[in-house]
Amino acid sequence: MSEGSVHSIGSIDTVPTKVNWKERRATDVGCAFLYLVALMGWFGIGFAMMGAEIEIFETDENGMIKGWSQDVKTAGKECCTQIQNEVDTASNNYNENGGICMGLDTGRRLTEGNKFPIDGGMFDVFALRPEIPTVMIMACIVMSVAWIMLLRSFAKTVVFGCEFVKIIALAYLGVECDNNPVFFAIALCYAIYIWCFKEKLKFAAKIIKHAANGLKENPAMFIALFTVKAFYVVQALLYIKFFEASMKVKEIAYVSRESFDYAGQPVCSSGSQYTCDYTLGYDANHCDANGGVCEYPSGGVITECHIVEQAWVGSARWYLMAMWLWSVMFFTQFRL
């Protein structure tokens, strides 16, 4: 076709607006089967965690932690009673007044306001406040639907708006991190990068807009895609719930730790020729001046009752994370 020539409608081959999905065939069937088997194991482990979980804390009507739950108190009393009957040896001292036995009726250390345990993590918070991850997932669903609707009419604005938000976020991190110049430098470099490649971003916005319009012209494809993503969202919610449950799969068991004889004479780890006497000052012969550490002699082993994770939880949690990563990759490559 020569440049500038005019052709009648229908004489130029164009890409049809409809997707010929009926003639598509499944690929990588073996990988899909392996994924489904692994996914069934993922569900099995997750629900097993939910079945084995116990409540760790007792809370009041306002969600404030009052202390250990009844399950922990019952198991703790059994362990504390058992450890009282143990006989100390020369190398092992059974401490019936330490560990969970010391604060069984008062609970462990809590943060200010007694809302969350001070030694807990993010998923401990989720376990105590299950509404937090639920609202987060629901908000993501609403935003994803609104995202597609906005891309149909304001693709360029949305693309450049997102890049602008990234710059603002980097600057905000710099302010929150005591005016750390590293974040400001990254924000500046990213702004320069966006300016240099703004034409490519405009082209990407056009492609995104056409893709959004393609979904509009193919409602069957949109429904299928929505179904797949809905399953992805459900799995994401279950992933968080399974992790919440894993934080509660606990038991009361003996935990041994090494003790130190603080009444004894400390010894320098760099050699006995160096002194650990701090009353003499930090002279050239002091342990600290020669790269050593003053260590007190061992006082044997102390065994106490502590609340710990069951042995299989750590490996099971790794499986949940690996399977979730595989799911993310699977849904990313999923083609309708």
Side-chain angles (χ1 to χ4, degrees):
M1 180 176 69
S2 61
E3 184 178 358
S5 60
V6 179
H7 292 260
S8 60
I9 298 177
S11 62
I12 302 177
D13 292 334
T14 59
V15 178
T17 58
K18 296 295 182 181
V19 178
N20 190 14
W21 57 271
K22 293 183 178 180
E23 295 184 4
R24 286 189 175 181
R25 297 292 181 267
T27 58
D28 297 328
V29 178
C31 181
F33 176 77
L34 181 61
Y35 172 78
L36 290 176
V37 172
L39 185 63
M40 292 301 103
W42 187 82
F43 279 112
I45 291 176
F47 286 115
M49 286 181 170
M50 296 182 73
E53 66 177 333
I54 63 172
E55 289 298 328
I56 308 299
F57 301 106
E58 181 182 0
T59 57
D60 60 16
E61 62 276 5
N62 297 319
M64 306 293 283
I65 296 178
K66 298 168 57 178
W68 296 113
S69 69
Q70 190 60 44
D71 291 337
V72 173
K73 289 181 179 180
T74 300
K77 288 179 179 178
E78 292 179 359
C79 184
C80 295
T81 301
Q82 181 178 352
I83 203 171
Q84 290 176 357
N85 299 324
E86 300 287 354
V87 179
D88 294 340
T89 63
S91 60
N92 195 346
N93 177 30
Y94 293 93
N95 183 16
E96 66 271 15
N97 296 317
I100 196 173
C101 302
M102 179 176 58
L104 191 60
D105 295 325
T106 58
R108 60 175 173 176
R109 293 179 301 162
L110 306 173
T111 59
E112 183 179 357
N114 292 345
K115 290 184 177 180
F116 305 111
I118 195 172
D119 51 351
M122 179 181 67
F123 286 98
D124 287 306
V125 175
F126 285 174
L128 288 170
R129 297 289 187 276
E131 64 274 10
I132 295 178
T134 303
V135 172
M136 290 172 58
I137 294 295
M138 294 301 106
C140 289
I141 296 174
V142 173
M143 287 189 293
S144 62
V145 175
W147 184 264
I148 297 177
M149 302 300 294
L150 288 173
L151 286 175
R152 291 180 179 177
S153 304
F154 310 102
K156 185 186 299 185
T157 304
V158 171
V159 169
F160 280 94
C162 288
E163 302 304 323
F164 179 74
V165 169
K166 293 177 184 178
I167 297 174
I168 297 299
L170 288 170
Y172 176 77
L173 287 175
V175 173
E176 290 296 319
C177 296
D178 299 327
N179 294 322
N180 192 324
V182 175
F183 289 102
F184 293 116
I186 296 175
L188 178 61
C189 293
Y190 194 71
I192 296 173
Y193 174 82
I194 292 174
W195 175 259
C196 294
F197 293 94
K198 59 181 182 296
E199 294 301 324
K200 290 187 176 182
L201 286 175
K202 291 180 181 179
F203 179 75
K206 291 180 180 180
I207 297 299
I208 292 173
K209 183 175 182 179
H210 287 308
N213 289 331
L215 287 177
K216 181 180 179 181
E217 296 295 331
N218 296 271
M221 184 177 179
F222 179 80
I223 294 174
L225 182 63
F226 181 81
T227 302
V228 173
K229 295 304 181 182
F231 182 81
Y232 174 78
V233 170
V234 171
Q235 189 179 3
L237 183 59
L238 285 176
Y239 174 70
I240 296 177
K241 293 299 182 182
F242 290 162
F243 247 83
E244 287 179 18
S246 71
M247 297 295 111
K248 296 182 179 181
V249 184
K250 307 285 189 179
E251 63 180 353
I252 309 297
Y254 285 176
V255 175
S256 299
R257 59 180 176 86
E258 184 180 3
S259 64
F260 297 94
D261 183 11
Y262 293 103
Q265 182 66 33
V267 179
C268 181
S269 60
S270 296
S272 58
Q273 67 272 25
Y274 302 113
T275 180
C276 285
D277 190 352
Y278 290 95
T279 60
L280 300 177
Y282 294 93
D283 57 9
N285 195 43
H286 197 276
C287 182
D288 291 348
N290 293 275
V293 178
C294 291
E295 300 174 341
Y296 285 92
S298 176
V301 176
I302 294 180
T303 300
E304 300 170 334
C305 290
H306 286 272
I307 180 169
V308 296
E309 285 186 348
Q310 295 188 19
W312 60 276
V313 175
S315 300
R317 193 180 291 132
W318 275 107
Y319 181 83
L320 290 179
M321 291 188 292
M323 190 60 207
W324 170 245
L325 177 61
W326 190 6
S327 295
V328 172
M329 298 171 63
F330 178 82
F331 284 107
T332 301
Q333 300 298 323
F334 198 92
R335 188 171 66 95
L336 295 176

